[in-house]
Amino acid sequence: MFAGMEEDKQLGLRLKLLRERSGLSQRGLAKATGVPNSTISLIESGKMNPSVGALRRILDGLAISLSEFFAFQPEAEKDVFYAAEDLPEIGKGGVSLKQVGTSLAGRAMMILKETYDIGADTGRVKYGHEAEEGGIVIEGRIEITVGDRRKILGPGDAYYFDSRNPHRFRQVGPRKCVIVSACTPPTF
Amino acid sequence: MFAGMEEDKQLGLRLKLLRERSGLSQRGLAKATGVPNSTISLIESGKMNPSVGALRRILDGLAISLSEFFAFQPEAEKDVFYAAEDLPEIGKGGVSLKQVGTSLAGRAMMILKETYDIGADTGRVKYGHEAEEGGIVIEGRIEITVGDRRKILGPGDAYYFDSRNPHRFRQVGPRKCVIVSACTPPTF
DNA sequence: CAAACATGTTTGTTATCCTGAACGATTTGC
DNA sequence: GCAAATCGTTCAGGATAACAAACATGTTTG
């Protein structure tokens, strides 16, 4: 036995739902993808933890990308309003990120309220992450480095860049820095 | 050898970038997740096609969901800083919109700093195109109506909705309201 | 310089994914 | 009514992912 049995069950149910939605049987999907029906059965019943490659081949037959598959939420209730204290918070090393929405799943973008403590520094980030990213400084000052460009921004100043560029955020000055930013996942 | 070698290379590269972004070594991530460093090495170098479960355990250590991971795409180019006074401003009836970026062209989203004077009201707005819109209240209070839902938000509170729904923003309380928001542009 | 540490890589061994084939249970056709 | 077809499931096997330990190469430290 292995650890992630519960997660495998969920993954299987998700696949089953998507397969049935497209009107295919396990064998039909097997034929379309070259993956044996037994594999599909085991995955759907949560008895197997598939490899990414196998899952990809199966999803190809459903014309679904891995990104879409994992973003898919059968019963996703999309909230509209979020109280300040309910925003999920991600903290690491003097940087606090408050995230609008519980997850990127099904969202065109993620909005963050970022708080940088005195001296906080994201470190030199060799490579970027999401697709595009921008924001406005609310209070305090921050030094932002994007590629070979560097600038110190204060309240009201803004930035917008392709976040696949290497970038670094470093708080400067006597008070903490607050930024509201947004970043987008690529459609892929 | 197996078929999806190229895909595994990309997957590995992606993981490597994300790991390095968070400043962890292979061994550091291994320790944080319980997954051996050798496994991480093999995955990153594209020599292995990991199971979903293993990948999930690894990504847990990076605080990244599978959904976010597969939505991630490396590449690069384009960046800009904007001084507060250079932000293009659109004003109409007590509402001031400061727009990050001079043009929407080629941008995945538009970021706005919205200032609502006392009593300002957008009236009912409905976008024809498919778009999403969200934001965080910085100061003051505002009543937001989306479809049949209505709520008054204060500093730190947030919202996110499909902007095809009719929506309305109305300042309330004794002081002007400032919001930083983001919305997706029309898909041309 | 040498010892100690850190990094990513490679090597066996074990666990398990993946497969083709066989199995019961329904449904369809004549 | 009895094949024939279709459905999802289960079962041994070869293939390979996952693991622990050793390896190679810097980098830091005394």
Side-chain angles (χ1 to χ4, degrees):
Chain A
M1 277 300 166
F2 49 89
M5 206 167 57
E6 199 50 48
E7 286 82 1
D8 287 347
K9 273 240 157 66
Q10 284 197 6
L11 187 150
L13 287 176
R14 206 180 282 204
L15 175 59
K16 184 183 172 79
L17 206 63
L18 287 166
R19 173 179 61 80
E20 288 176 342
R21 175 196 275 185
S22 69
L24 281 170
S25 68
Q26 288 184 349
R27 276 191 157 83
L29 183 54
K31 192 161 194 173
T33 59
V35 175
N37 62 317
S38 53
T39 299
I40 297 172
S41 171
L42 288 169
I43 293 174
E44 287 191 357
S45 54
K47 287 167 184 155
M48 194 169 87
N49 164 30
S51 72
V52 172
L55 183 59
R56 185 197 335 260
R57 286 198 299 280
I58 294 171
L59 292 179
D60 278 348
L62 296 172
I64 294 172
S65 71
L66 285 163
S67 166
E68 289 166 322
F69 179 75
F70 286 109
F72 174 71
Q73 281 173 338
E75 36 182 283
E77 163 94 12
K78 285 194 181 179
D79 284 330
V80 175
F81 302 117
Y82 302 89
E85 62 271 20
D86 292 338
L87 294 178
E89 182 163 4
I90 313 163
K92 51 178 177 181
V95 184
S96 150
L97 304 178
K98 288 216 164 191
Q99 185 180 336
V100 176
T102 52
S103 157
L104 272 178
R107 292 282 161 93
M109 60 193 168
M110 178 171 65
I111 299 178
L112 296 172
K113 183 175 183 179
E114 311 179 8
T115 304
Y116 295 79
D117 293 335
I118 305 290
D121 190 342
T122 61
R124 188 179 54 211
V125 178
K126 276 185 182 172
Y127 304 96
H129 45 108
E130 305 292 339
E132 293 185 23
E133 180 173 349
I136 295 183
V137 177
I138 303 304
E139 67 173 84
R141 292 165 67 75
I142 195 157
E143 180 199 75
I144 304 181
T145 308
V146 178
D148 55 357
R149 302 193 200 185
R150 172 176 306 173
K151 191 157 175 98
I152 293 179
L153 303 184
D157 295 339
Y159 61 93
Y160 194 106
F161 57 84
D162 186 318
S163 52
R164 290 164 292 188
N165 278 310
H167 53 281
R168 171 185 188 176
F169 287 51
R170 191 170 68 88
Q171 186 274 345
V172 295
R175 54 186 303 191
K176 71 183 164 78
C177 181
V178 177
I179 297 177
V180 175
S181 73
C183 62
T184 67
T187 52
F188 142 85
Chain B
M1 282 301 166
F2 49 88
M5 205 168 56
E6 198 50 48
E7 285 82 0
D8 286 348
K9 271 242 156 62
Q10 284 197 6
L11 186 150
L13 193 60
R14 213 179 275 203
L15 175 59
K16 184 183 171 79
L17 298 188
L18 288 166
R19 174 178 60 79
E20 288 176 342
R21 179 182 85 171
S22 68
L24 281 171
S25 69
Q26 288 183 351
R27 276 191 158 81
L29 183 55
K31 193 161 194 173
T33 59
V35 176
N37 63 315
S38 54
T39 299
I40 296 173
S41 173
L42 289 168
I43 293 173
E44 286 191 358
S45 55
K47 288 170 183 150
M48 193 168 94
N49 163 31
S51 72
V52 172
L55 183 59
R56 184 196 339 258
R57 285 199 299 281
I58 293 170
L59 293 179
D60 277 349
L62 297 173
I64 295 170
S65 70
L66 286 163
S67 162
E68 289 166 315
F69 178 76
F70 286 109
F72 168 80
Q73 210 173 21
E75 255 174 62
E77 207 60 38
K78 185 169 62 177
D79 56 318
V80 188
F81 299 116
Y82 303 90
E85 60 272 20
D86 293 339
L87 294 178
E89 183 164 1
I90 313 161
K92 51 175 180 181
V95 183
S96 151
L97 304 178
K98 288 213 165 195
Q99 183 181 335
V100 176
T102 52
S103 162
L104 276 177
R107 292 284 159 91
M109 61 190 169
M110 178 171 64
I111 299 178
L112 296 172
K113 184 175 184 180
E114 311 178 9
T115 304
Y116 294 81
D117 293 335
I118 305 290
D121 189 343
T122 62
R124 260 174 70 104
V125 178
K126 184 176 177 180
Y127 293 166
H129 63 271
E130 182 172 351
E132 294 184 20
E133 180 173 349
I136 296 183
V137 177
I138 304 302
E139 65 173 87
R141 291 164 69 74
I142 195 157
E143 180 198 75
I144 304 181
T145 308
V146 179
D148 55 356
R149 302 195 202 184
R150 173 175 304 175
K151 190 155 176 104
I152 294 179
L153 303 184
D157 295 338
Y159 62 92
Y160 195 105
F161 57 84
D162 185 322
S163 46
R164 280 173 304 180
N165 282 311
H167 49 282
R168 173 182 187 177
F169 287 51
R170 191 171 67 87
Q171 186 276 345
V172 296
R175 54 185 302 191
K176 69 184 166 78
C177 180
V178 177
I179 297 177
V180 175
S181 73
C183 64
T184 57
T187 53
F188 293 103

